[in-house]
Amino acid sequence: MKIDSKSLLYILMMATLGINTPLSIVGIISQISTHFHTSIAISGLYVSSFTFTIAVCGLFIPILFSKFERKITFVSILSVFAISNLVIVFSNSLSVSLFFRVLSAAFYPAFISIALTVCEEIAPEGEKQDYITKILLGISVGSIVGLPITTALGTVFGYQIAMLWIFAINFLTLTLILVFFPKIPGKSKRFDAPLSSLKSVEFVLASLGIVMMPIGASIVYNYMPYFLQTVSHIYTYNLSILLFVYGIISICGTWIGGKLILYKDKATLLIFQLVCGLVFSLFYLFAQYLIPVLMLFMIFGVLDGMGYNLIQYVEASVLPNSPELANGVFLSILNGGIAMGTAIGGFLVTDFGVMSIFVGGFAFLMVAFLMLYYVIEIMKINLKYG
């Protein structure tokens, strides 16, 4: 059965959306606590275990899977997700559920990394970045659309029903891949050659620079609801609507980021840090004024969505000969940066108050700008579309 590249792209996009739904249980931490009879703190660790596992496994799991036939890889990983989530639905043991949550998360980087690689391979000439952007949109939509659905189901029907929905979407995407996706051979046959690329000065400095971006953004984003409640006095229903609109705008930002990279990659990478730093500064200055805060929040939504493209593009540029490794490192940097930013933001809020998140976010964005300026303008790394 022959399927055109567009159809394959949308099947992969749907599968990417589905494999991101386990991230959406962040909205039902209290229901998790009730189900497992444990504290909110332990439930929070249970939720974040998925992200931490991705950050670690993204550095090597994609390389291990790169040599295998693509359809077998996708079916195997989606099967692990479906089985893991089905076990979690019926498990009352936190230890068992944690094991299967971590197990599925360990294979997540291989799926996303190879999906990004395959979509670039099947893309018509001149449309590679558009195809990559659509897979990144799948990541965004999976988290943004999955969050309100999972939260609503968990709140009304409980944790197990919310997990049953996650199993259902995973099983649906598994069926799509199994029925419609063709066989595509793997590429890499040796592991040592791609991993040797991690020793280059360009890779190290570019990665250190780009990881500052999700750290800075996460410091602000993860504590923005708290800021909106305590400073802007936006609560419950209005806050939920605002966060949903933010999510939709960030999806648009992912699309815009892909277009800007194609148009002016160097300028986009550098100006992004300055614009985002400016937005954080304006948040700090106009925190007491509701209308400016809402406008800045929407602008931040666009910038936050763009970040997916920028991180992936930098890693693809410094690791041009190993796309699976580049995409795996992208996932590690994204998720590791989010985890570190969340931790740093919590420290800042606890010790210095909620307004300090904007100072912290600004500081990390400026470090990102300086380091990226050095590797792009001084070291003159070869950008992918440069």
Side-chain angles (χ1 to χ4, degrees), residues 75-126:
V75 169
S76 300
I77 294 173
L78 289 173
S79 296
V80 170
F81 266 77
I83 293 169
S84 295
N85 286 311
L86 187 61
V87 171
I88 290 172
V89 168
F90 296 104
S91 174
N92 292 317
S93 168
L94 179 64
S95 300
V96 171
S97 296
L98 178 62
F99 171 80
F100 280 98
R101 183 164 172 81
V102 170
L103 176 66
S104 56
F107 292 98
Y108 173 98
F111 187 94
I112 299 296
S113 173
I114 295 172
L116 286 164
T117 302
V118 168
C119 80
E120 192 170 6
E121 291 171 354
I122 65 175
E125 194 62 37

Side-chain angles (χ1 to χ4, degrees), residues 13-67:
M13 187 177 176
M14 181 66 183
T16 304
L17 185 156
I19 209 171
N20 272 274
T21 50
L23 290 164
S24 64
I25 67 170
V26 68
I28 56 169
I29 288 179
S30 61
Q31 285 75 25
I32 294 170
S33 176
T34 301
H35 178 77
F36 291 117
H37 306 290
T38 188
S39 67
I40 291 294
I42 296 298
S43 299
L45 290 174
Y46 171 74
V47 171
S48 62
S49 64
F50 198 87
T51 305
F52 281 112
T53 304
I54 294 171
V56 174
C57 293
L59 295 173
F60 61 91
I61 290 292
I63 291 296
L64 296 178
F65 278 87
S66 63
K67 68 176 182 178

Side-chain angles (χ1 to χ4, degrees), residues 129-130 133 252-272 275 302-303 305-307 309-310 313 383 385:
Q129 189 60 41
D130 285 338
T133 297
C252 299
T254 303
W255 179 81
I256 292 170
K259 295 297 182 183
L260 288 176
I261 283 174
L262 278 174
Y263 179 63
K264 288 284 186 181
D265 55 355
K266 185 188 298 186
T268 300
L269 286 168
L270 296 177
I271 293 174
F272 174 89
V275 173
V302 175
L303 296 170
M306 288 175 61
N309 271 291
L310 302 187
Y313 182 70
L383 294 174
Y385 302 129

